Amino acid sequence: MKRSVRNKIYDKVFEIIGYTATFFGLIILLYFITDIVYEGWNRIDYDFLTSYTSRKAEKSGIFPAWVGSVWILALTLIISVPIGIASGIYFEEYAKKNKITYMLEVNIANLAGVPSIIYGLLGLEIFGRMFGFGSSILTGSLTLALLILPIIIVSTREALKAVPQSLRDASFALGASKWQTIWLQILPSSMGGVLTGTILALSRAVGETAPLIVIGALAYVPFIPSSPMDEFTVLPMQIFEWTSRPQHEFLINAAAAIIVLLCITFLMNGIAIYLRNKWQKKNQW
Amino acid sequence: MKAINILISISIIGLLMSCGGSSQKNNEQGNNMSGDIKIDGSSTVYPITEAVAEEFREIEPDIRVTIGVSGTGGGFKKFARNETDISNASRPIKDIEKETCEEHAIHYHSITIAYDGLAVVINPENTWAESITVEELKKIWEPSAQNKITHWNQIRPEWPNEEIHLFGPGIASGTYDYFTEAIVGKSGSSRGDFTASEDDNVLVQGVATDKYSLGFFGLAYFEENSKKLKLVAVDNGNGPVKPTAETVSNNSYDPLSRPIFIYVNQKSCEREEVQKFVKFYIKNAGSLTKDVGYVALPTEKYDTEYKKFISFLETHKL
């Protein structure tokens, strides 16, 4: 009897701690978002989205910045997703459990924790200077792709692990080859998880500034990039540049640009959740 | 398989969206000059160069001027590797940077384009520190002051016995280099126990909310926040002087008024569009400088800079 009372108290206490922890984060986030929306909402209009930067804050816009962000996002996706998913499949389905595999696994896990500016330095030397891509969108995308590869690999592996062994057995029993099993059974069943991980990783990439500053992303770009070899700027760069200005009007611009960036991130997370729900419904084991 | 279709279509849509805007741009080809001009360097100089590039675009829309903000040092690194045509600098080029330029056979011409004053600021509630001498500033900021000069009355006995809280730009900024050079006597050498931030607005907030604070940063940041802050007049032996457009440009606000520069690569000057841009820069820097909160040079100095640039072009037969 006594023990059950004690357990109930513990239960209640933990419930309260849980609530507080959740709301603590939420309230701070809410405060930031309200503040940003309050500052910047009225600044967003068609002109803001279609103008170049200007010394006059009220004439300034984020056209090259958001287009640059979309470019970076698209190229990073194209580069990182096939490599990431393929590596994930290799580790989960093909790799032998030996010391080399173990070493690789540990290193990938560690890479996920390397500060992003280090990737920037790597990208500058290898892609920018050795390969001669300069400060182009391609250099930026390759760098960000490296940055998020570990996340994609790890989440792909987790998703593949979640596919029940019975599905594989059934596929093999029907005479399917290993590749057919992976391509036609395992990959489609795990796609929800794979995509969720990928899109969350891309959401991280779209908010990165440090590595892009290092590789030479610009602040003033008076044109819209038309090829992967063009120089570029991205939304976080523009926000960073505006927040360091003395005039308050530029801070309002920064707030407005943050709202646009948040919208992009929310949109991507929305897609992730939608895809996950869709695939989860379809596959009921 | 649907997943892959969706993935592909997302990326195609992304590419189409970004290409859409540009194809129109490329079609409007006029008879004007075209070409790329690459600029990088100090974020202090950036607003002026941005303003010039913006106006330049009105008359030469096909010349693509791009500007980065890697900082004075970062800018010179790229400049010395021939990766940029023009470098923005909030201090003169250092000897070691000159050497790298020589190694890569980069020759250049420097142009003074404006003045920037460094404001020494306190909280408006601070009633005692009306002015401060350069020696006192040195006493506060030199490396040996660390953990020793911690109270206001150690600087001047009649000031209160309260802890002093120091705010200054981060050590990577040209502003910090300049201040330490002018006050301590050696660039980059100061005490380490002060609140440093690369974002000057953070420093403004720090000083504005702390009665016992003292900080320094670019004059433009004071002017935008003059209600929240108070200027300290600086005395270099000729009586206390407050930084204003006038005292900064006639150099009586000594030693904390500094010139800021652009450096032009000699090889780039072979290209007509670079010549045109630099000439435009010198001619318009005066009015645009004021627009973005800096102090313009006297008109005759711009004329001198213009002549110097022309003769630089002539001597190198560009």
Side-chain angles (χ1 to χ4, degrees):
Chain A
M1 189 60 201
K2 252 185 185 171
R3 180 176 281 178
S4 78
V5 170
R6 205 177 63 196
N7 281 349
K8 266 189 187 150
I9 292 172
Y10 278 159
D11 223 30
K12 202 75 204 159
V13 168
F14 185 76
E15 199 184 325
I16 292 167
I17 292 176
Y19 269 127
T20 332
T22 311
F23 281 103
F24 180 71
L26 279 181
I27 284 169
I28 290 182
L29 188 66
L30 204 68
Y31 171 77
F32 278 133
I33 292 179
T34 326
D35 190 49
I36 295 279
V37 170
Y38 178 77
E39 279 267 323
W41 185 254
N42 292 324
R43 184 68 188 82
I44 300 179
D45 52 21
Y46 182 74
D47 283 343
F48 185 67
L49 295 174
T50 55
S51 300
Y52 296 96
T53 49
S54 161
R55 69 176 180 285
K56 298 192 186 77
E58 63 284 359
K59 271 177 65 190
S60 251
I62 53 168
F63 194 22
W66 74 257
V67 176
S69 277
V70 171
W71 259 108
I72 285 279
L73 206 58
L75 269 185
T76 308
L77 182 107
I78 293 170
I79 297 163
S80 62
V81 167
I83 301 179
I85 295 182
S87 322
I89 293 175
Y90 169 77
F91 276 118
E92 209 48 42
E93 305 290 333
Y94 290 97
K96 294 196 178 72
K97 296 268 174 279
N98 56 23
K99 268 201 177 142
I100 298 170
T101 315
Y102 179 71
M103 284 292 292
L104 285 174
E105 282 172 357
V106 170
N107 275 310
I108 286 171
N110 278 339
L111 277 178
V114 169
S116 58
I117 196 153
I118 308 288
Y119 284 95
L121 293 168
L122 185 83
L124 173 72
E125 260 331 301
I126 295 183
F127 304 125
R129 293 191 173 143
M130 254 171 67
F131 290 4
F133 295 155
S135 310
S136 62
I137 295 178
L138 187 60
T139 307
S141 304
L142 285 166
T143 309
L144 289 183
L146 278 189
L147 176 73
I148 62 172
L149 261 181
I151 311 174
I152 298 182
I153 296 175
V154 170
S155 59
T156 303
R157 295 189 56 185
E158 291 307 317
L160 294 176
K161 252 183 222 161
V163 178
Q165 187 60 35
S166 56
L167 201 72
R168 283 164 234 244
D169 294 343
S171 178
F172 286 133
L174 289 169
S177 69
K178 187 161 190 178
W179 173 243
Q180 283 171 325
T181 305
I182 291 172
W183 187 245
L184 297 173
Q185 298 303 326
I186 300 179
L187 209 49
S189 325
S190 59
M191 217 50 201
V194 172
L195 283 183
T196 311
T198 306
I199 292 176
L200 290 180
L202 282 171
S203 306
R204 180 182 168 193
V206 77
E208 278 294 344
T209 334
L212 295 181
I213 291 184
V214 175
I215 64 133
L218 301 164
Y220 177 84
V221 181
F223 55 87
I224 297 302
S226 55
S227 88
M229 296 315 288
D230 272 339
E231 294 185 291
F232 68 103
T233 185
V234 287
L235 276 170
M237 274 297 286
Q238 187 65 66
I239 293 165
F240 171 73
E241 205 282 311
W242 274 337
T243 52
S244 67
R245 291 291 188 97
Q247 291 86 0
H248 184 69
E249 295 76 35
F250 281 110
L251 299 184
I252 296 174
N253 279 1
I258 290 172
I259 297 174
V260 175
L261 185 60
L262 274 180
C263 287
I264 295 180
T265 319
F266 279 148
L267 192 75
M268 292 181 55
N269 288 339
I271 296 173
I273 292 168
Y274 170 77
L275 290 174
R276 193 182 57 205
N277 292 345
K278 204 175 144 206
W279 258 283
Q280 265 172 359
K281 252 180 234 154
K282 219 167 74 181
N283 301 310
Q284 279 177 349
W285 299 306
Chain B
M1 281 320 90
K2 254 189 177 168
I4 286 162
N5 288 340
I6 289 174
L7 266 179
I8 292 169
S9 47
I10 289 175
S11 36
I12 289 174
I13 289 168
L15 280 174
L16 285 179
M17 273 162 74
S18 43
C19 293
S22 61
S23 50
Q24 294 163 353
K25 187 87 199 79
N26 289 346
N27 291 338
E28 357 168 315
Q29 278 173 356
N31 301 320
N32 295 326
M33 251 183 252
S34 63
D36 289 352
I37 302 176
K38 291 183 180 176
I39 307 175
D40 206 331
S42 165
S43 56
T44 309
V45 189
Y46 172 79
I48 305 176
T49 308
E50 182 198 43
V52 174
E54 187 191 349
E55 289 304 311
F56 189 65
R57 196 166 163 261
E58 301 283 315
I59 58 162
E60 290 289 352
D62 292 332
I63 298 180
R64 308 203 302 186
V65 182
T66 56
I67 315 168
V69 282
S70 311
T72 304
F76 275 132
K77 263 186 202 143
K78 292 187 179 167
F79 188 71
R81 297 178 73 122
N82 207 7
E83 291 174 350
T84 54
D85 301 309
I86 298 173
S87 212
N88 291 330
S90 63
R91 54 159 174 78
I93 190 165
K94 286 179 185 167
D95 286 341
I96 184 148
E97 291 160 344
K98 278 183 194 166
E99 282 163 26
T100 3
C101 280
E102 271 162 31
E103 269 170 40
H104 293 82
I106 302 290
H107 303 283
Y108 53 81
H109 177 70
S110 83
I111 300 162
T112 311
I113 46 149
Y115 289 122
D116 184 24
L118 293 190
V120 178
V121 293
I122 49 174
N123 190 276
E125 282 178 45
N126 179 329
T127 49
W128 57 93
E130 289 294 329
S131 75
I132 196 161
T133 67
V134 174
E135 289 83 68
E136 283 164 341
L137 279 174
K138 183 175 181 196
K139 195 174 164 190
I140 300 171
W141 286 95
E142 66 189 351
S144 60
Q146 182 145 348
N147 299 329
K148 271 191 203 145
I149 309 295
T150 52
H151 287 70
W152 279 94
N153 62 354
Q154 287 173 292
I155 305 157
R156 249 185 237 182
E158 62 264 35
W159 287 350
N161 182 17
E162 295 283 351
E163 249 184 43
I164 184 167
H165 303 134
L166 297 169
F167 293 83
I171 54 168
S173 72
T175 313
Y176 172 83
D177 282 349
Y178 188 82
F179 183 87
T180 45
E181 168 110 51
I183 297 297
V184 182
K186 191 167 170 254
S187 170
S189 142
S190 81
R191 68 193 294 168
D193 53 345
F194 67 97
T195 308
S197 172
E198 299 297 336
D199 182 351
D200 292 328
N201 287 315
V202 172
L203 303 175
V204 169
Q205 282 308 319
V207 177
T209 52
D210 183 345
K211 188 177 173 186
Y212 299 106
S213 61
L214 181 135
F216 71 90
F217 38 73
L219 187 55
Y221 289 87
F222 167 76
E223 281 165 354
E224 286 300 321
N225 300 283
S226 53
K227 289 195 185 109
K228 293 190 258 175
L229 305 167
K230 193 171 155 188
L231 271 185
V232 186
V234 176
D235 186 348
N236 194 17
N238 300 316
V241 182
K242 278 193 178 177
T244 61
E246 205 193 334
T247 57
V248 169
S249 79
N250 67 18
N251 248 329
S252 58
Y253 181 62
D254 184 51
L256 290 178
S257 74
R258 58 166 171 175
I260 51 185
F261 313 88
I262 55 171
Y263 283 75
V264 190
N265 186 329
Q266 183 191 315
K267 224 180 201 152
S268 305
C269 286
E270 286 167 12
R271 295 182 357 237
E272 215 177 318
E273 66 266 21
V274 176
Q275 288 186 16
K276 189 158 189 189
F277 178 77
V278 175
K279 285 178 192 165
F280 183 87
Y281 201 131
I282 303 172
K283 283 203 168 150
N284 293 278
S287 59
L288 293 173
T289 296
K290 283 175 215 147
D291 264 19
V292 293
Y294 290 90
V295 180
L297 310 179
T299 329
E300 60 274 14
K301 284 216 174 165
Y302 284 115
D303 292 341
T304 325
E305 289 295 345
Y306 191 78
K307 278 176 203 146
K308 271 172 31 194
F309 182 63
I310 298 291
S311 69
F312 164 77
L313 293 179
E314 278 164 3
T315 47
H316 294 91
K317 297 197 178 67
L318 295 167

